[in-house]
Amino acid sequence: MAEKSRLRPGDLIDLDIEKAVYRGQGLGRHEGQVVFVPRALPGDRLRVRIEAATSGFVRGRIEQVLGQGPGRRGAPCALFDRCGGCAYQAYDYAGQLAVKEAVLRETLLRGHVPWTGPIALHPSPEVGWRMRASLHVHYGADGLRLGLHEEGSHRVTDLVTCLQLSPAMNAAQRALAGALARRPDWARHVSDIDLAEAPDGAQLVASLETDLAPPAAAALGALADDVPALTGLGVVAGVDRARRFMPLRGEPWIEATVQGVSLRAHVRSFFQGNRFLLDDLVAAVSRLTPAGGPVLDLYAGVGLFALPLAGRADSVRGIEIDAGAVGDAQRNTERSGLANVRIERGDVAAALREGGAALDERVVLDPPRAGAGEEVVRAIARRRPLSVVYVSCDPVTLARDLMVFAGEGYAPSAVEMFDLFPDTFHLETVVALRRA
């Protein structure tokens, strides 16, 4: 029997896309070989150029759409074909939500923690949702570009405008790009620009990542003259342990009122990025956490969950490793007048090893994309909490951690999905767990 031909880089094939998989890819099969295609949508028939092929993985790129799957649309952004910021912009919004729910369910199933119950979906407007943006700077012989990386590369796409950003954020990033282009002696030392905007637009802050020494970096404060909408401007400068954020103009914080609580977040502190779903996300975590008793908030950040939970808990203890975020959280606690909240700086795993558990403890955790990991999950389970609410931005690490929770006797009782990142492949999941 003749061996089937294997795909090689450069091959051109026609492919039917069966389903979407995580990270914004479509999956099809060619003579039994699975082929992954970025930005391919379920039901598409495509002409695909193979870019990478190994014994276990084949990736191609779309050369031509031969037949459109249901819900495919013209992307509203002219930069969609090359900018890596959006994976699903060529899909209507109802289709995006359906795909993300399907991806979440399949990821949990593949992780041996299937969820067959309902998933409450929380949609977002597709335009102007970002409160936080990290943009890359390229300066070379072809001039300056400020924006996001192209799909599958480190080449920067210059963002004339980005639909994820508000008009004020777009105006600020263009003004910063223009000002840096006029000062190549500065531009060649700036690698990234972080923008943070308050949900209501009252504050807009920029932070520039540089390779400068602090005395030289201080001169970049003059950039604020070209961006009058900025309420704060700072730079990150120095090397190794001496590397630090330097405020140069105005205040480096934004303000947000969430569930009636006023929160201040530094431009360098982690804070959720969708202005439209911020309140709904916190409300869901509060609703899924039983009232009363002590709450342990892990990866507490600036107190986004801890402070709103304090109004319905006996006490709240937050653990956060980032010193800047802890400073924000402690100031937020003081300003709120909440006497039953304590935010501590520390490593979550170490804090769980060292501290004893309170009776009927409620645990909330919002780990980074890498997830909590086995050590932390087992340490939480050993405390025998009454409930656990897990906030996740990555379904793969979520499934891995839920599998460990299951082995310790904790099973999901509710799952909600928040589309904090419309048009992208990212999704946020909130899972409530109870002792089985």
Side-chain angles (χ1 to χ4, degrees):
M1 181 176 177
E3 183 181 352
K4 290 182 179 179
S5 61
R6 311 307 291 175
L7 291 170
R8 294 178 175 81
D11 287 350
L12 192 65
I13 61 171
D14 291 349
L15 193 69
D16 293 315
I17 301 301
E18 301 173 13
K19 63 180 180 180
V21 295
Y22 189 48
R23 306 197 70 81
Q25 300 188 97
L27 180 151
R29 299 175 196 273
H30 179 78
E31 296 183 356
Q33 280 186 281
V34 171
V35 181
F36 297 98
V37 184
R39 305 187 178 193
L41 303 176
D44 280 349
R45 181 163 181 77
L46 306 172
R47 187 148 292 154
V48 171
R49 179 78 63 183
I50 302 302
E51 292 188 316
T54 67
S55 59
F57 178 82
V58 180
R59 185 189 71 243
R61 71 171 187 272
I62 300 173
E63 290 267 321
Q64 184 181 355
V65 178
L66 302 175
Q68 296 187 0
R72 181 174 275 279
R73 67 182 182 184
C77 177
L79 299 174
F80 171 73
D81 287 339
R82 63 178 186 274
C83 176
C86 294
Y88 288 137
Q89 204 178 68
Y91 211 5
D92 67 34
Y93 192 60
Q96 292 183 37
L97 291 178
V99 157
K100 290 184 180 186
E101 180 182 354
V103 166
L104 174 58
R105 287 187 184 276
E106 180 171 0
T107 304
L108 295 177
L109 177 63
R110 291 173 65 87
H112 306 290
V113 282
W115 175 255
T116 57
I119 296 178
L121 302 179
H122 299 262
S124 166
E126 291 181 78
V127 177
W129 51 268
R130 269 199 183 277
M131 296 190 297
R132 299 271 169 150
S134 294
L135 305 176
H136 309 295
V137 178
H138 168 84
Y139 184 77
D142 56 347
L144 184 135
R145 297 194 300 273
L146 174 64
L148 301 174
H149 286 144
E150 292 185 6
E151 179 74 35
S153 88
H154 291 289
R155 179 179 169 81
V156 175
T157 299
D158 194 45
L159 290 182
V160 177
T161 187
C162 177
L163 297 180
Q164 297 180 8
L165 306 183
S166 68
M169 293 180 82
N170 269 312
Q173 61 99 353
R174 283 298 89 193
L176 285 167
L180 285 172
R182 291 188 292 273
R183 290 297 304 263
D185 54 325
W186 291 348
R188 62 174 59 98
H189 295 288
V190 179
S191 59
D192 301 277
I193 297 177
D194 291 328
L195 293 174
E197 185 179 34
D200 62 0
Q203 297 91 30
L204 177 57
V205 183
S207 171
L208 281 64
E209 194 83 20
T210 77
D211 62 4
L212 295 167
L220 272 66
L223 290 169
D225 297 333
D226 293 284
V227 197
L230 290 180
T231 57
L233 173 69
V235 297
V236 178
V239 295
D240 300 331
R241 291 188 176 183
R243 190 163 180 78
R244 60 189 175 92
F245 175 83
M246 299 168 49
L248 299 179
R249 294 283 186 95
E251 298 290 344
W253 296 280
I254 62 101
E255 300 270 353
T257 299
V258 184
Q259 293 287 291
V261 178
S262 179
L263 299 173
R264 186 174 77 174
H266 194 281
V267 64
R268 301 285 295 178
S269 295
F270 173 78
F271 199 70
Q272 294 291 350
N274 187 305
R275 74 183 73 236
F276 301 119
L277 292 182
L278 186 62
D279 218 63
D280 289 351
L281 177 66
V282 175
V285 171
S286 296
R287 171 170 37 81
L288 294 170
T289 301
V295 172
L296 179 62
D297 182 13
L298 304 176
Y299 314 95
V302 305
L304 177 64
F305 299 121
L307 272 67
L309 281 166
R312 57 200 308 273
D314 293 344
S315 64
V316 180
R317 177 190 177 207
I319 308 295
E320 170 59 48
I321 190 66
D322 181 75
V326 171
D328 286 338
Q330 292 174 342
R331 282 188 292 267
N332 290 332
T333 301
E334 292 169 7
R335 292 195 308 169
S336 72
L338 294 167
N340 63 336
V341 180
R342 185 174 83 255
I343 308 294
E344 306 167 6
R345 186 184 181 198
D347 174 73
V348 165
L352 291 173
R353 284 195 302 269
E354 295 163 4
L359 181 66
D360 285 338
E361 191 172 57
R362 290 91 160 129
V363 173
V364 172
L365 67 157
D366 182 14
R369 195 168 304 281
E374 182 176 353
E375 179 186 0
V376 167
V377 170
R378 293 198 188 281
I380 292 171
R382 281 196 296 270
R383 300 171 75 88
R384 306 309 293 165
L386 175 69
S387 68
V388 176
V389 176
Y390 191 136
V391 183
S392 166
C393 60
D394 187 292
V396 176
T397 58
L398 171 65
R400 178 203 66 201
D401 289 349
L402 291 183
M403 183 65 176
V404 180
F405 270 119
E408 297 290 337
Y410 284 82
S413 60
V415 178
E416 302 193 18
M417 190 188 86
F418 290 78
D419 194 22
L420 297 189
F421 312 96
D423 293 341
T424 79
F425 66 81
H426 298 289
L427 58 98
E428 196 88 0
T429 312
V430 177
V431 180
L433 300 106
R434 298 288 187 270
R435 289 195 293 252

